[in-house]
Amino acid sequence: MFMGEYSHTLDAKGRLIIPAKFRHQLGDKFVVTRWMEHALRAMPMPIWEKLETQLNELPLGKKEARQFKRFVLAGAMEAEIDKQGRIIVPANLREYAGLEKDIIVTGSGDSFEIWQAARWQAYTSATADNFDEIAEGLVDFDF
């Protein structure tokens, strides 16, 4: 399970260190793609394959389904960790997520997210302000 919050920096070549606690869970190759709230989502291949199946089952007659599928698949890339524990984040993904130097890597259970630090701080501040309301809304999901 991917959990925790880690501060890292992106170097001038677009390389990002993946937290050591995450590396052993990823396997030789994994997928990084655009995700919600202008973050990136990174996931092991079995999780990616499950998501890919779900995307392919979306009703193509629905405009929003086509848009979501295109958005996720067009932004996806296969990644490998180098000997220093880094991946190269391509320019298109860095641009989408606003990644420059200060980066936050956050665990999300079956995957992890890569955020521009200031965006993550703004997001968590806003979420903390209404966390009780969010939790109450989860009652509908038997949580």
Side-chain angles (χ1 to χ4, degrees), residues 51-122:
L51 176 61
E52 197 172 32
T53 298
Q54 291 172 318
L55 289 170
N56 285 325
E57 292 173 353
L58 289 173
L60 294 179
K62 291 265 193 189
K63 181 180 180 180
E64 292 85 4
R66 291 190 309 273
Q67 289 173 323
F68 188 77
K69 181 179 178 179
R70 287 178 187 138
F71 181 79
V72 173
L73 292 175
M77 62 155 267
E78 202 171 87
E80 293 182 62
I81 298 174
D82 70 13
K83 292 178 183 177
Q84 286 77 38
R86 306 170 300 190
I87 63 167
I88 295 175
V89 181
N92 65 318
L93 295 181
R94 290 194 311 264
E95 183 179 328
Y96 167 76
L99 305 180
E100 292 175 358
K101 185 175 180 182
D102 297 324
I103 307 299
I104 302 294
V105 178
T106 64
S108 294
D110 65 357
S111 59
F112 63 92
E113 295 178 341
I114 301 167
W115 289 73
Q116 191 267 345
R119 185 173 280 146
W120 172 250
Q121 290 161 353

Side-chain angles (χ1 to χ4, degrees), residues 33-63:
T33 191
R34 293 183 290 211
W35 204 240
M36 296 169 227
E37 287 92 22
H38 282 273
L40 303 179
R41 182 178 180 197
M43 63 207 93
M45 291 308 285
I47 301 303
W48 169 252
E49 290 163 0
K50 180 180 175 185
L51 176 61
E52 197 172 32
T53 298
Q54 291 172 318
L55 289 170
N56 285 325
E57 292 173 353
L58 289 173
L60 294 179
K62 291 265 193 189
K63 181 180 180 180

Side-chain angles (χ1 to χ4, degrees), residues 6-42:
Y6 305 88
S7 296
H8 288 280
T9 56
L10 193 68
D11 72 14
K13 295 181 180 179
R15 295 177 298 197
L16 174 67
I17 294 173
I18 300 301
K21 291 183 178 183
F22 290 177
R23 291 179 212 154
H24 74 279
Q25 300 178 66
L26 288 170
D28 293 335
K29 294 181 181 183
F30 59 99
V31 173
V32 178
T33 191
R34 293 183 290 211
W35 204 240
M36 296 169 227
E37 287 92 22
H38 282 273
L40 303 179
R41 182 178 180 197

